[in-house]
Amino acid sequence: MSSDKALISLRDVDKFYGDYHALRDVSLDIFPGEFFSLLGPSGCGKTTLLRTIAGFEDVSSGTLSIGGQDMAGVAANRRPTNMVFQSYAIFPHLTVAENVGFGLRRSNYSRGERHARVSDALEMVGLGGYGKRAAHALSGGQRQRVALARALILKPKVLLLDEPLSALDKKLREQMQVELIRLQRQVGITFVLVTHDQEEALIMSDRIAVMFEGRIAQLEEPEALYQRPGSRQVAEFIGVMNFLGAHVISNEGNALELDVAGLGHAVIGRDQCPGGPVSGMCHVGIRPETMTLLFEDRGDGPVADGVVDEVVYYGDMTYYDIKLDGVPKPITLSMKNMIGRPVLDIGTRTKVGWDPRALVAFS
Amino acid sequence: MGEVFWVGGRVAVRHLDRDSRRGLLLVSPTAIYAILLLAVPLSAVVLFSFWTQDFLTVDRTLTLANYREAIAEPLFRVLMLRSLTISAVVTAVTVILAFPVAYYVSFHVRPDRKALWIFLITIPFWTSYLVRVFLWKVILGFNGVLNTSLQGIGLIDEPLTFILYNANAVVITLAHAFAPFAILPIFVSLEKIDRSLLEASMDLGENRVTTFLRVTLPLAMPGVVAAVLIVFIPTVGDYVTPRLVGGPDGLMIANMIQTQFLRLNNAPMGATLAIIAMALVTVVSLIFVGLNRRYLRGQKR
């Protein structure tokens, strides 16, 4: 994909609030029809970046273009973007239909057409027949749907979503995640989502930009981001990652021979060093679900020995903290709970099966 | 099951009883005070309005004669109409001038400076109202500050006379005196507006002016209506300002009520005029309360 096909294009964007450096040298391209997420902890600049795209903040330096047009000096009301606010920003003095139709006033539609489009938009978000209700009488989930309908009715090139699901309870949030994906496929509009919830970003996005301290740390598709995080920081932010000390024994051709604390000898490919080449002392990361407890001693891969240090039962899964022999800090692994599979007690000696293909090495 | 609910219901009722008893106890000093100092004199005024003055004594037979006379007498009608007009103009001027001030403080003053600004707005209250009215006399007078300054810079040849001892002077003085009362409720209602609503409006294609008209102003209406009531109600009955700066053309109904009670020794007629003024204020207030209820729709959260 070349950058001239990009719908939103940022080049070397910096943003200062007084002395505070909110965005540092951000360059990225967002392509038409993409579900793009900005993921990071609070204060990482993801919301600032979204508000910059929306036109509520100026860039201090660098350029931002949308649809090939430079957005410098273009106010929010003239940009082809619409936003779903974190607070939803539903106008409390208007009805649901008046809220949804708010942006249509400046359009050339007749009254009838406007009315039809409002009911279509409400239908689309599953609020058909709610038009006459007062906005303040809606539940959190319904307000969110109104905010979505109000933004989508204007058929923007880009829909910006600022933590739209963070105010909803878990069940409703999961339901809305699926609905948002469905909606995005249906309307074909580019979605840019800001979230601090890595799980949400993984579930919903085509691509994710992970941000720390105003900088883009990594920009990848969800699978690659999860399996090959580009740095320890990203690895720790996305899901759970165990880190073990290691040192490089040999480094020949495409293979890297390591001695990993607690696991032992391992040979990994060069693609398993996503953060750049490693040498000498290094760290090796491994995800909890890539390891298994060997209840009967019959693993065909490499095996490590350890003692169960903690057991956390989740219903579908059990998380074990295991103290590997020779490693003081326990590592976490997860096991699917199946019929006939026991949950081990704390203090039990056990064998851990692992796969060298699941390792990632960082210098 | 039913019994449990029934018992539960009874317990709840008993709790409510105890709560309401404590509530009554808490409000009773205030209630007694209010009844003694408001309801009793007010009833006396109502009673007086149905009596008549018979030269030196009060005739205590109940009659509507005063009301008939008050409505028939052109002077009373002129004064009543003038009071309502002056109050309406004062209210309009005050609220229209107060809105930009409240807007500026709410939207453009740094959050940590807002308290200071509100504090500064109350400064006129630090001196007596009477002193402030006298100061306006000094400013607006024939040889006053305004006239000498304007003559000094050559804008006018002769002193302006339409600014003192008439209705204009009353409007100017009252509008200044009531400005803080109008600024504060409007400021509070502007402060309550979620700023993301304004961004949402901009995002949906409106510019700053249309955002103001479609979002800010409707959401600030409860404050505006409160300001209208707070200014209108007391100014209708004001008598110090018209007395001091109003001249003969600026006199209002309250001055006539005072005259009836003290100079003409006709307390029943004074009481009747007071009751009529009160009834008119009540009608106007109810209209605005009704308007407010319309604007308060949907702002409970």
Side-chain angles (χ1 to χ4, degrees):
Chain A
M1 293 194 271
S2 70
S3 71
D4 48 83
K5 280 192 193 140
L7 180 58
I8 302 174
S9 189
L10 289 103
R11 288 286 168 273
D12 312 318
V13 167
D14 279 81
K15 172 73 188 171
F16 292 91
Y17 293 107
D19 287 339
Y20 181 64
H21 205 163
L23 294 177
R24 295 163 191 260
D25 200 23
V26 173
S27 294
L28 65 86
D29 290 314
I30 299 173
F31 297 97
E34 213 176 7
F35 199 128
F36 192 93
S37 289
L38 297 165
L39 172 67
S42 51
C44 73
K46 56 190 191 300
T47 298
T48 305
L49 184 52
L50 194 78
R51 292 173 55 83
T52 305
I53 297 171
F56 298 128
E57 311 281 349
D58 304 321
V59 297
S60 302
S61 68
T63 58
L64 161 69
S65 62
I66 301 177
Q69 261 185 312
D70 188 25
M71 286 291 131
V74 180
N77 53 340
R78 305 228 170 273
R79 294 195 182 189
T81 60
N82 283 117
M83 185 143 159
V84 174
F85 290 81
Q86 188 170 11
S87 63
Y88 309 144
I90 303 296
F91 301 115
H93 57 301
L94 303 177
T95 64
V96 169
E98 286 167 336
N99 262 284
V100 173
F102 190 90
L104 290 181
R105 201 187 63 109
R106 299 183 82 81
S107 63
N108 300 322
Y109 295 107
S110 69
R111 249 181 98 105
E113 280 174 307
R114 226 182 280 177
H115 190 78
R117 287 192 60 182
V118 168
S119 2
D120 283 352
L122 281 173
E123 207 70 56
M124 182 174 67
V125 296
L127 284 181
Y130 277 69
K132 289 216 159 49
R133 296 217 187 171
H136 67 89
L138 299 177
S139 71
Q142 289 167 337
R143 292 157 91 82
Q144 209 241 7
R145 287 159 194 267
V146 172
L148 263 173
R150 186 177 69 179
L152 286 173
I153 198 170
L154 300 175
K155 298 196 165 43
K157 283 185 179 156
V158 186
L159 182 72
L160 306 169
L161 302 121
D162 184 8
E163 306 243 11
L165 307 176
S166 61
L168 305 179
D169 61 67
K170 192 165 183 288
K171 268 260 156 43
L172 194 55
R173 188 161 65 228
E174 285 166 358
Q175 185 193 334
M176 281 311 293
Q177 285 169 355
V178 178
E179 275 194 48
L180 272 178
I181 300 169
R182 179 188 59 80
L183 202 61
Q184 197 257 346
R185 284 194 194 128
Q186 188 187 328
V187 297
I189 292 171
T190 307
F191 279 31
V192 181
L193 171 81
V194 157
T195 180
H196 64 270
D197 183 344
Q198 45 95 15
E199 199 182 8
E200 187 171 295
L202 291 176
I203 291 170
M204 299 172 75
S205 324
D206 294 321
R207 285 194 305 152
I208 301 170
V210 183
M211 292 184 70
F212 293 116
E213 290 165 359
R215 235 184 269 281
I216 293 182
Q218 193 173 6
L219 202 172
E220 270 293 0
E221 288 168 17
E223 226 181 297
L225 191 67
Y226 186 78
Q227 289 178 355
R228 297 279 183 266
S231 67
R232 267 195 75 159
Q233 207 181 11
V234 173
E236 279 169 340
F237 191 72
I238 311 278
V240 181
M241 182 75 99
N242 297 296
F243 285 99
L244 294 162
H247 71 263
V248 180
I249 301 169
S250 78
N251 188 351
E252 276 165 30
N254 222 9
L256 205 64
E257 207 180 335
L258 298 169
D259 183 34
V260 185
L263 296 181
H265 186 260
V267 177
I268 64 170
R270 204 164 288 288
D271 62 320
Q272 284 166 266
C273 308
V278 293
S279 59
M281 299 299 291
C282 62
H283 297 278
V284 162
I286 185 163
R287 297 274 185 203
E289 69 279 5
T290 62
M291 294 180 282
T292 51
L293 288 181
L294 300 171
F295 292 96
E296 299 127 42
D297 191 5
R298 54 170 175 77
D300 44 2
V303 174
D305 292 294
V307 179
V308 177
D309 193 56
E310 186 65 81
V311 181
V312 183
Y313 181 75
Y314 271 81
D316 57 337
M317 308 277 279
T318 305
Y319 278 77
Y320 292 94
D321 282 357
I322 308 281
K323 264 190 174 155
L324 294 175
D325 292 351
V327 182
K329 194 172 169 252
I331 61 160
T332 302
L333 70 81
S334 61
M335 293 291 286
K336 214 171 160 59
N337 290 329
M338 291 198 250
I339 302 297
R341 179 179 278 180
V343 173
L344 295 187
D345 293 327
I346 293 171
T348 316
R349 271 207 80 78
T350 182
K351 289 184 184 304
V352 175
W354 57 279
D355 189 333
R357 288 172 301 176
L359 300 181
V360 278
F362 302 102
S363 54
Chain B
M1 272 308 250
E3 202 182 8
V4 173
F5 280 126
W6 183 75
V7 170
R10 243 171 66 116
V11 168
V13 167
R14 195 176 292 162
H15 270 288
L16 205 86
D17 264 358
R18 199 205 289 153
D19 277 356
S20 51
R21 234 178 291 143
R22 191 193 302 157
L24 280 179
L25 195 70
L26 282 171
V27 299
S28 56
T30 328
I32 292 166
Y33 186 81
I35 288 165
L36 282 180
L37 282 129
L38 184 74
V40 171
L42 198 61
S43 330
V45 170
V46 171
L47 198 59
F48 256 96
S49 74
F50 292 108
W51 292 344
T52 42
Q53 187 76 25
D54 188 13
F55 193 51
L56 286 177
T57 56
V58 171
D59 180 355
R60 296 195 174 173
T61 43
L62 298 180
T63 165
L64 286 170
N66 288 326
Y67 286 92
R68 272 194 293 272
E69 196 190 330
I71 291 165
E73 171 63 51
L75 177 61
F76 295 158
R77 229 183 304 155
V78 167
L79 285 176
M80 190 64 78
L81 207 62
R82 187 190 289 159
S83 294
L84 291 174
T85 314
I86 288 179
S87 280
V89 174
V90 167
T91 306
V93 168
T94 311
V95 171
I96 287 169
L97 291 180
F99 198 97
V101 177
Y103 186 88
Y104 178 79
V105 177
S106 180
F107 281 83
H108 295 290
V109 171
R110 271 171 34 194
D112 54 325
R113 296 257 173 89
K114 282 181 185 172
L116 176 70
W117 273 77
I118 293 301
F119 176 70
L120 292 176
I121 284 166
T122 65
I123 281 184
F125 288 139
W126 296 8
T127 53
S128 146
Y129 177 60
L130 220 51
V131 172
R132 276 180 284 149
V133 179
F134 273 114
L135 280 174
W136 275 108
K137 261 174 113 155
V138 173
I139 294 169
L140 300 174
F142 191 79
N143 286 318
V145 177
L146 192 65
N147 276 328
T148 38
S149 313
L150 288 178
Q151 278 175 300
I153 58 174
L155 269 177
I156 51 171
D157 296 328
E158 283 175 27
L160 305 171
T161 51
F162 65 89
I163 51 172
L164 190 59
Y165 298 127
N166 55 28
N168 295 335
V170 178
V171 170
I172 293 172
T173 311
L174 284 177
H176 172 253
F178 280 92
F181 290 120
I183 292 171
L184 291 177
I186 297 174
F187 170 76
V188 169
S189 67
L190 287 171
E191 280 291 282
K192 279 203 291 191
I193 297 176
D194 180 358
R195 299 309 194 248
S196 67
L197 293 175
L198 310 180
E199 288 189 339
S201 172
M202 297 282 282
D203 189 63
L204 294 167
E206 299 294 348
N207 58 36
R208 292 167 72 99
V209 174
T210 51
T211 293
F212 176 81
L213 294 175
R214 293 188 74 190
V215 182
T216 315
L217 193 56
L219 289 175
M221 273 323 272
V224 171
V225 171
V228 164
L229 290 176
I230 286 173
V231 177
F232 182 79
I233 293 171
T235 48
V236 171
D238 192 74
Y239 86 100
V240 176
T241 313
R243 185 74 195 279
L244 291 177
V245 299
D249 295 341
L251 284 182
M252 289 161 67
I253 192 69
N255 303 102
M256 179 49 78
I257 295 172
Q258 188 210 17
T259 308
Q260 290 289 345
F261 267 104
L262 300 179
R263 303 259 296 276
L264 299 179
N265 196 22
N266 190 350
M269 183 48 81
T272 307
L273 292 176
I275 296 294
I276 292 175
M278 221 168 85
L280 287 174
V281 169
T282 307
V283 169
V284 174
S285 305
L286 283 178
I287 291 170
F288 276 98
V289 168
L291 275 180
N292 208 17
R293 191 164 293 168
R294 201 182 91 78
Y295 280 114
L296 278 175
R297 172 183 74 134
Q299 292 188 30
K300 307 230 163 60
R301 284 195 197 189

